[in-house]
Amino acid sequence: GQNIDQPTEMTATEGAIVQINCTYQTSGFNGLFWYQQHAGEAPTFLSYNVLDGLEEKGRFSSFLSRSKGYSYLLLKELQMKDSASYLCAVLTDSWGKFQFGAGTQVVVTP
Amino acid sequence: NAGVTQTPKFRVLKTGQSMTLLCAQDMNHEYMYWYRQDPGMGLRLIHYSVGEGTTAKGEVPDGYNVSRLKKQNFLLGLESAAPSQTSVYFCASSNWDSSAEAFFGQGTRLTVV
């Protein structure tokens, strides 16, 4: 079967760094995506990895190891507005089908 | 630029009633999707479409039907609503290119009583 695992919740202090891990076992792999979802809102795209290595976009970085079925999202210099759910998603085929993890709720405290 | 628009935003149905959720995108995307999101379960794919006139089943298609008569619109129908279909429904669209990111609508909160 297909499985995407990520922690349910993480808490960190404003200004700190948090790393959200995601492990996956899927029938196909065409890329790994991270989305941010604030409560009551739609998911919004954060980052995308298709090759192994680190992708950096401002305060957010994402890493992928295809051989290990592993990715992480790194949030630096945390701000209160970063309190949200972070969804790990695998693009499983060339028709644009995504398999989503259940999401990691990040709580940023003052 | 509106992006992906879903209507309605909220709806309460009685068991056995029917309804249609409308999704419209103005980005000329080929692919469109309907997901449901339930607490602790993440987004699950209901049905999807890879182009005008095409539809395919996703992970949880039972109890739902879809149509894509126009490229910009993707309709999700519930023929006989059940309490198990109480959920938040998200529509999304994308193009299969180097980025392939999906753009989501704001969601429809559906309660079946």
Side-chain angles (χ1 to χ4, degrees):
Chain A
Q2 308 207 91
N3 212 33
I4 298 179
D5 291 317
Q6 51 182 129
T8 304
E9 185 171 317
M10 301 182 76
T11 301
T13 308
E14 199 174 8
I17 298 172
V18 69
Q19 178 175 316
I20 306 169
N21 295 324
C22 172
T23 58
Y24 64 90
Q25 281 183 301
T26 56
S27 56
F29 183 86
N30 283 282
L32 190 134
F33 291 72
W34 285 94
Y35 286 85
Q36 181 190 59
Q37 186 178 25
H38 285 101
E41 298 183 7
T44 55
F45 171 77
L46 282 179
S47 71
Y48 164 64
N49 296 70
V50 66
L51 300 174
D52 290 354
L54 189 68
E55 293 283 341
E56 296 188 84
K57 279 177 86 173
R59 294 188 298 114
F60 295 171
S61 304
S62 57
F63 171 83
L64 175 67
S65 169
R66 288 172 296 169
S67 63
K68 295 181 179 177
Y70 168 71
S71 173
Y72 68 73
L73 178 70
L74 196 68
L75 314 181
K76 295 178 246 185
E77 300 168 19
L78 277 172
Q79 301 176 8
M80 297 300 291
K81 68 178 181 179
D82 297 329
S83 290
S85 183
Y86 292 84
L87 312 178
C88 174
V90 173
L91 188 62
T92 59
D93 64 16
S94 57
W95 299 111
K97 283 173 65 179
F98 287 91
Q99 184 82 21
F100 281 86
T104 298
Q105 184 67 42
V106 170
V107 177
V108 181
T109 59
Chain B
N1 194 350
V4 180
T5 304
Q6 288 181 234
T7 52
K9 290 185 171 48
F10 301 93
R11 186 72 185 268
V12 178
L13 284 180
K14 294 183 179 178
T15 297
Q17 286 185 318
S18 64
M19 78 164 293
T20 300
L21 281 68
L22 172 65
C23 178
Q25 52 97 3
D26 61 3
M27 295 172 283
N28 202 35
H29 284 166
E30 289 294 334
Y31 303 122
M32 296 188 75
Y33 317 86
W34 277 107
Y35 290 92
R36 59 177 289 172
Q37 187 173 38
D38 302 292
M41 300 191 74
L43 288 157
R44 291 183 292 167
L45 184 64
I46 304 170
H47 287 279
Y48 65 106
S49 168
V50 300
E52 181 179 315
T54 75
T55 62
K57 294 180 180 179
E59 186 183 351
V60 287
D62 294 342
Y64 306 95
N65 56 75
V66 288
S67 64
R68 183 111 179 260
L69 299 179
K70 293 183 178 180
K71 186 177 183 178
Q72 63 267 34
N73 295 337
F74 194 31
L75 278 64
L76 177 71
L78 285 73
E79 290 184 348
S80 180
S84 61
Q85 293 177 305
T86 293
S87 187
V88 180
Y89 292 86
F90 285 100
C91 175
S93 71
S94 73
N95 266 343
W96 177 236
D97 55 19
S98 59
S99 66
E101 73 179 269
F103 294 83
F104 286 83
Q106 288 303 304
T108 297
R109 185 172 295 275
L110 175 66
T111 302
V112 182
V113 297

